[in-house]
Amino acid sequence: MNYLDNLNAQQYQAVTTVSGPILVLAGPGSGKTRVLTQRIAFLMKEKDIPAYAILAVTFTNKAAREMQDRIEDLLGESVQGSMWLGTFHAVCARILRRESALLPFNNNFVIMDADDQVTLIKRIIKELNLDEKMYRANSIHNQISNAKNNLQFPADVSRSNYREETLFRIYEKYQSSLEKSNAVDFDDLLLWTWKLLKDNPEVRERYARRFQHVLVDEFQDTNTVQYQLLKSLSSYHKNLFVVGDEDQSIYRWRGADYRNILLFEKDFPDHVKILLEQNYRSTQNVLNAARCVIDHNTNRTPKNLFSDRGAGDKILYYEAEDDRMEARYVVETIDRMTENGNAQGGDFAVLYRTNAQSRLLEDAFLYRGMPYRLVGAQRFYGRREVKDMIAYLRVAYNPLDEISLTRVINTPTRGIGDKSIQNLRLAALESDKPLGEVLLDLGRFGPESVFWPEMGRGALPLADFGANVLEWNTMAAANESITALLDKIILLTKYQQYLKADDDDEQDRWANVEELRKMAYEYEERGLAEFLQNLALVSDQDTITENNNAPTLMTLHAVKGLEFNRVFIIGMDDGLLPHNRSLDDPEEMAEERRLFYVGITRARNHVTLVRAEQRMAYGVPDITIPSRFLTYIPDALIMQGNAPSILPGKSTRSSRTSPSGSRWESTPSWANRALSQLGKQTTSRGSESAMPSQRVASCKFAAQDNVTHPLWGEGTILESRIEDGEEIVQVQFKTAGMKKLIVSLSKLQKTA
C-alpha cells in the first residue's frame, strides 16, 4: 500500500472511507485528482471492486485521460474499456446506444454539434415565418439548452405568453426534426438518459446495481440534469463520492449550480464531509489573500487553507496612470525579470475579466518584441468583428482592395448573394476594371450605370452598397476623423444590430469593436493611412512567436485548473472586476468573487494586482473606481508596486478606496484615502499637457441634473465637485452604468 503513504490525513480519509455518500470539499491545489485516482486504485486493489463496477465522471476529456493514466500507473494495468470513466456526455451516449430500443431513435444516432443546431433553428424560424431579428437563432438555442438542462422537454416549458408559446413551437419542431434525423444534440445526451432512467425503473436498477461506486470530479460545476443522473446511478449502493469546491464554481452562465453541493447535503443526510485544506501549490500569503476575498460569500463551507511552503511574498499592488500604462507596466516588468534571470517567460500568466482587455497587452508585447501565448480566444486582431471593421476601413481608404471588399460586401447581409457577386466579377472582367471600380460606378450612377443591366436582381443592393463605399471613400480622402469614419460605417451597415441578431456573445464582440474605436482615436492626428499600416503590422499572425516558455494571456474563466509561478490580474476596477453586468445581482456578485478567488489561487509564488486610474473611452478619459474587491485584502498582505525605471510617472500608488458613503466592508487603512484624491493624482502625473489650461472655480453641474453624452446617452448627475481646478462628476447613465468624468473633456450636456 505504498501509494497511500504520500497522502495527508484528510486525503487518506477520503481515499479509504469506502461506504456511503461522501462529500469532499477540495480547496485549490489540495490534490483532488490524487484523491480521486488513488481512491479508485484502493477500491480495486484493496477492496476487490472490479473495474466494470466503478463509474467515474468528469467534465473534460483531458481530465478523464489524466485520471486514466494515473490509475493505470498505480495499478500497473490497463483499465481502458473495462471501467466506465469519461465525461458526463460520453457516459450518457454509451448508455443511450445500449438502450436505444426504449428510445425514439436508433443506436446509430448522430450527435449534432452547436453549428448544426443553430442552422436547424434558423431553418425552423424561417419555416414558421418568424422575424429573425426578434427570434435570434443563437438566443433560441441557448433557451432550448437551458430548458433541457432543467429537465424540460417541449411539453414542459412555460406557455404563459405569446413569446413563450412561440418558443414552444420552435422547440417542438426542433426536437421533432432531431428525432426524424435520428439525431441528438449534446443536451439530449443528458436529458434522454435522465428520462430513460426515470421512466424505466428496471433499467435504472440495472445500472444502479452495476455501479457499486460512483465518483464525480468538479461537482460544483454540475447542473440540474447531471445531479439527477448521479442520484439515479448511485441509487442502489448509495456509494456516491463527489469532489468539488463551491468557491471555484465560475460557470453559472453555462448552467453550473454550486448549490448542488447544498442539495447533496440535504438529500444524503448521512453523508461524510471531508475538507481538503492543505494546499500544495501556493505560499501562505497568496492563500490568505484569496481567503479574505472568498469569505465574503455566503452559502459555503469555510475552509482554512494552509501551506507548508512558507509565507512567501506579499501581494503586489500597482496603479497605472491609464490603461495603456497598465499594459506597459506588466510587459516591462516581465521583460525586466526575465532579462535579469529572476524568471522565465513561462512563469507568468496575465489574467483579465474580458477578452477585449487583451488588445493593449498584445500591443505592448508586440511593441517590445516579446513572444506571448493567448489562450481561450483569438488574438484581438484575429477576431471576426475586428477583422470586419478593419476590412471596412481598408475599403474606405482603397475601394480597389478586393480582398477586403469581398469580406464585407455582404456582411452584414444586404441582399448581395453569390449570384450578384458573380455578376459583379464578370462585369469587372469584361470591362477590364477592378471589382471596386465597377461597384463605385454602380453607386455613383445607379440605374444610369453602364453596368446596371448586367447585375440583374442584385443591381439595387450593389448600387446601395457602392454608394456607401463612395461616401466612406470621400470622408477618407478628405482626411476626416478616423472615429467619425468608423462611426459612419457602423451606422450605415447597422453593424451593432447585426452583432445583436447574430450572436449571443454580442456584448463581448461589441466591446471588441469599441476597443478598436478607442485605438483609432489615438491615430486621429496621424491619419487613416498610418493607422491601417500599423494594423497590418500588428495583425500579421506570423509576427507572433508561439513559445511554450512565453507569458500566457487569458481570461479568468479560462485559467481554472492551471497554475503559474507568477500571476498578474489586471483591470482591478469596478465595472471590470466585478463586471458592471453583475453589480445589481447578489448571485452574480458572488460568482465575481469566486472568479477573483480562482485567479489569485492560480499563483504558486507571486500575485500582482494592477489597475488604471483612468481608461480611455473614445478619446475621453474615464476616471475609474478601484475594485471593491481590493478592499477585502488587509494591509498586512499588501505591498506597493514600483514601476520599472523606463516607465514615466509615479512609481507607487495608494488609492485602493471605495466611494464615499458606500456600504462596502471596512476598508484597510492603507486604502482609506478619499476618492477625491483621484483628481489630484491626475494633475500630479506629469500629464498637464493633456489637461485644459483654464481652471474652473465653480460647478457647471449639480446633483440630479439630467445630462446627455454623445456616446453613453442619457444620464443623471449623482455628484459634482471641484478638484484641483477641474469639475469632476459622477453620472449614472441609463445604459452605460456609472461613470466618473472630467467635465472639460467629457462633452457632457445638460438636458431639460
Side-chain angles (χ1 to χ4, degrees):
M1 291 178 59
N2 293 335
Y3 63 94
L4 299 178
D5 292 344
N6 62 348
L7 301 176
N8 63 40
Q10 290 73 32
Q11 291 173 334
Y12 186 88
Q13 180 187 6
V15 167
T16 59
T17 302
V18 174
S19 301
I22 301 171
L23 171 62
V24 178
L25 295 179
S30 60
K32 67 179 180 62
T33 304
R34 177 192 303 171
V35 165
L36 278 164
T37 53
Q38 295 202 11
R39 178 178 175 83
I40 291 172
F42 179 81
L43 291 173
M44 294 177 62
K45 205 168 186 177
E46 310 303 329
K47 299 301 177 181
D48 295 323
I49 304 296
Y52 64 79
I54 297 174
L55 169 64
V57 291
T58 186
F59 277 84
T60 67
N61 290 319
K62 178 183 177 183
R65 286 193 299 269
E66 181 182 353
M67 286 179 63
Q68 179 175 304
D69 291 344
R70 289 199 190 188
I71 293 166
E72 291 177 352
D73 286 344
L74 290 169
L75 295 175
E77 61 185 81
S78 175
V79 296
Q80 188 172 4
S82 55
M83 182 186 300
W84 285 55
L85 192 162
T87 65
F88 274 96
H89 292 88
V91 168
C92 287
R94 189 173 177 181
I95 292 174
L96 293 178
R97 294 195 191 280
R98 289 184 169 211
E99 310 298 335
S100 60
L102 299 171
L103 299 165
F105 41 81
N106 299 324
N107 64 0
N108 63 339
F109 60 82
V110 296
I111 302 171
M112 298 181 67
D113 64 23
D115 288 340
D116 293 334
Q117 295 164 43
V118 172
T119 298
L120 174 57
I121 291 171
K122 286 181 178 179
R123 192 190 80 197
I124 292 170
I125 290 171
K126 287 182 179 179
E127 290 175 356
L128 294 175
N129 294 316
L130 298 171
D131 186 337
E132 296 178 31
K133 293 182 179 179
M134 289 186 62
Y135 297 95
R136 297 179 292 151
N138 281 285
S139 178
I140 297 296
H141 174 240
N142 283 343
Q143 291 177 67
I144 291 175
S145 177
N146 289 337
K148 291 185 176 185
N149 287 331
N150 284 289
L151 310 175
Q152 293 178 326
F153 282 93
D156 303 315
V157 299
S158 173
R159 299 162 65 180
S160 60
N161 55 50
Y162 176 76
R163 186 169 184 85
E164 289 181 348
E165 176 67 29
T166 304
L167 175 62
F168 160 74
R169 291 167 61 205
I170 298 172
Y171 185 6
E172 185 178 50
K173 196 170 181 64
Y174 170 80
Q175 205 64 19
S176 175
S177 297
L178 288 180
E179 292 177 21
K180 289 177 182 177
S181 302
N182 193 37
V184 297
D185 62 23
F186 290 118
D187 298 313
D188 278 334
L189 294 173
L190 307 178
L191 184 63
W192 278 113
T193 304
W194 166 78
K195 183 172 175 57
L196 170 76
L197 299 178
K198 180 176 74 74
D199 294 348
N200 299 276
E202 72 287 354
V203 176
R204 180 176 66 249
E205 184 170 355
R206 175 157 36 93
Y207 282 97
R209 282 178 175 270
R210 176 193 180 110
F211 297 130
Q212 297 179 36
H213 290 270
V214 177
L215 300 90
V216 190
D217 190 15
E218 304 287 4
F219 183 63
Q220 78 279 349
D221 291 335
T222 55
N223 57 29
T224 299
V225 66
Q226 288 164 337
Y227 179 58
Q228 294 302 323
L229 282 169
L230 293 171
K231 287 177 62 179
S232 292
L233 293 171
S234 62
S235 57
Y236 184 81
H237 294 285
K238 307 291 186 183
N239 295 326
L240 178 57
F241 181 90
V242 302
V243 181
D245 181 9
E246 64 266 66
D247 295 337
Q248 297 184 73
S249 179
I250 59 173
Y251 301 119
R252 185 169 181 248
W253 47 280
R254 291 182 185 171
D257 192 345
Y258 73 94
R259 290 171 297 187
N260 282 341
I261 291 176
L262 303 178
L263 280 177
F264 180 94
E265 297 188 75
K266 177 183 176 182
D267 292 341
F268 300 94
D270 59 339
H271 73 279
V272 174
K273 180 191 289 189
I274 302 169
L275 303 186
L276 301 186
E277 297 174 303
Q278 182 171 356
N279 179 286
Y280 294 91
R281 174 190 301 152
S282 306
T283 59
Q284 192 63 49
N285 278 334
V286 170
L287 298 179
N288 289 346
R291 181 179 174 186
C292 288
V293 171
I294 205 63
D295 278 351
H296 285 79
N297 276 4
T298 56
N299 295 324
R300 57 180 292 271
T301 301
K303 303 175 197 66
N304 182 27
L305 300 180
F306 67 94
S307 170
D308 60 5
R309 297 193 58 230
D313 291 342
K314 294 183 178 182
I315 307 301
L316 198 65
Y317 174 68
Y318 183 79
E319 280 189 7
E321 297 177 6
D322 55 33
D323 45 2
R324 185 168 291 279
M325 296 303 294
E326 176 185 55
R328 282 193 61 187
Y329 167 74
V330 171
V331 174
E332 303 294 0
T333 300
I334 293 173
D335 190 30
R336 181 186 59 183
M337 297 190 72
T338 54
E339 281 292 318
N340 64 23
N342 288 339
Q344 297 183 351
D347 291 338
F348 297 92
V350 187
L351 310 180
Y352 36 83
R353 178 63 177 82
T354 66
N355 280 315
Q357 291 172 261
S358 76
R359 196 269 292 182
L360 291 177
L361 285 167
E362 293 181 69
D363 283 355
F365 274 107
L366 289 167
Y367 179 81
R368 193 70 181 166
M370 294 173 60
Y372 67 91
R373 294 191 303 143
L374 187 67
V375 174
Q378 287 181 301
R379 291 182 171 86
F380 179 80
Y381 299 103
R383 293 167 190 161
R384 170 169 60 87
E385 59 279 7
V386 175
K387 294 179 74 172
D388 284 349
M389 287 295 103
I390 292 172
Y392 270 116
L393 289 172
R394 286 175 174 161
V395 168
Y397 180 69
N398 173 22
L400 305 187
D401 179 351
E402 187 170 332
I403 294 175
S404 296
L405 182 61
T406 52
R407 177 181 180 89
V408 299
I409 195 169
N410 200 39
T411 302
T413 55
R414 52 178 63 90
I416 301 175
D418 292 341
K419 180 64 175 177
S420 297
I421 296 173
Q422 183 181 349
N423 288 340
L424 191 67
R425 289 188 183 280
L426 186 60
L429 182 64
E430 291 177 347
S431 63
D432 195 26
K433 293 181 182 297
L435 200 71
E437 192 171 325
V438 176
L439 184 70
L440 289 179
D441 193 277
L442 288 164
R444 184 178 290 111
F445 300 109
E448 302 302 319
S449 169
V450 295
F451 302 109
W452 184 276
E454 302 176 49
M455 297 301 108
R457 288 183 297 178
L460 184 59
L462 283 168
D464 286 344
F465 184 57
N468 288 343
V469 174
L470 191 63
E471 181 178 356
W472 303 330
N473 181 242
T474 301
M475 293 178 67
N479 292 320
E480 291 198 28
S481 159
I482 306 173
T483 51
L485 173 59
L486 196 54
D487 288 344
K488 178 68 73 172
I489 290 170
I490 292 169
L491 175 66
L492 293 181
T493 61
K494 299 181 180 179
Y495 197 82
Q496 186 175 12
Q497 294 91 318
Y498 159 69
L499 290 180
K500 287 182 178 179
D502 185 65
D503 203 318
D504 278 341
D505 293 331
E506 170 264 331
Q507 288 182 310
D508 289 336
R509 292 191 177 278
W510 180 245
N512 292 329
V513 175
E514 290 184 312
E515 187 66 27
L516 182 69
R517 191 184 184 284
K518 294 176 190 177
M519 185 179 181
Y521 186 87
E522 299 166 12
Y523 283 80
E524 294 286 51
E525 298 299 322
R526 288 177 277 177
L528 181 59
E530 186 172 346
F531 180 57
L532 292 175
Q533 175 180 301
N534 286 343
L535 282 176
L537 293 175
V538 299
S539 63
D540 183 357
Q541 299 300 302
D542 293 334
T543 66
I544 301 170
T545 304
E546 289 293 346
N547 187 336
N548 289 333
N549 197 29
T552 301
L553 282 57
M554 66 178 73
T555 65
L556 287 160
H557 280 104
V559 78
K560 187 167 178 290
L562 303 178
E563 58 184 64
F564 298 88
N565 283 338
R566 300 172 181 271
V567 167
F568 289 86
I569 304 178
I570 68 167
M572 293 301 305
D573 309 320
D574 256 32
L576 279 177
L577 187 65
H579 198 280
N580 56 22
R581 294 199 296 264
S582 307
L583 299 179
D584 297 327
D585 185 332
E587 279 296 328
E588 291 286 349
M589 282 296 295
E591 181 140 327
E592 293 290 301
R593 291 188 198 95
R594 295 195 292 269
L595 200 56
F596 186 32
Y597 173 82
V598 166
I600 293 173
T601 56
R602 299 309 95 192
R604 298 187 188 102
N605 303 316
H606 304 276
V607 174
T608 302
L609 307 178
V610 191
R611 68 172 297 267
E613 292 177 345
Q614 62 183 23
R615 297 183 184 276
M616 296 301 291
Y618 309 114
V620 179
D622 184 8
I623 297 177
T624 63
I625 299 173
S627 170
R628 65 194 69 191
F629 293 167
L630 291 168
T631 67
Y632 298 164
I633 304 175
D635 293 0
L637 297 177
I638 290 286
M639 64 182 291
Q640 294 291 322
N642 293 317
S645 59
I646 59 174
L647 294 182
K650 296 193 299 183
S651 63
T652 60
R653 302 284 187 259
S654 56
S655 63
R656 260 199 337 168
T657 178
S658 56
S660 175
S662 74
R663 290 176 294 174
W664 301 349
E665 295 77 2
S666 59
T667 305
S669 59
W670 71 276
N672 208 25
R673 297 174 60 186
L675 188 61
S676 62
Q677 291 299 312
L678 287 174
K680 296 179 182 178
Q681 291 170 2
T682 300
T683 59
S684 66
R685 291 194 301 255
S687 57
E688 290 287 350
S689 60
M691 304 297 289
S693 58
Q694 183 178 1
R695 301 299 181 182
V696 297
S698 60
C699 289
K700 176 181 176 181
F701 298 97
Q704 304 305 313
D705 279 353
N706 294 321
V707 295
T708 184
H709 187 276
L711 295 169
W712 297 316
E714 297 178 350
T716 302
I717 299 289
L718 301 181
E719 180 186 3
S720 177
R721 65 182 183 275
I722 302 298
E723 295 291 345
D724 248 22
E726 287 290 347
E727 182 178 3
I728 307 293
V729 293
Q730 180 175 324
V731 188
Q732 180 67 44
F733 289 101
K734 290 182 178 179
T735 58
M738 191 177 70
K739 303 282 184 183
K740 281 194 174 290
L741 305 172
I742 301 172
V743 168
S744 62
L745 300 177
S746 68
K747 299 181 181 179
L748 204 61
Q749 297 292 329
K750 282 186 183 180
T751 58

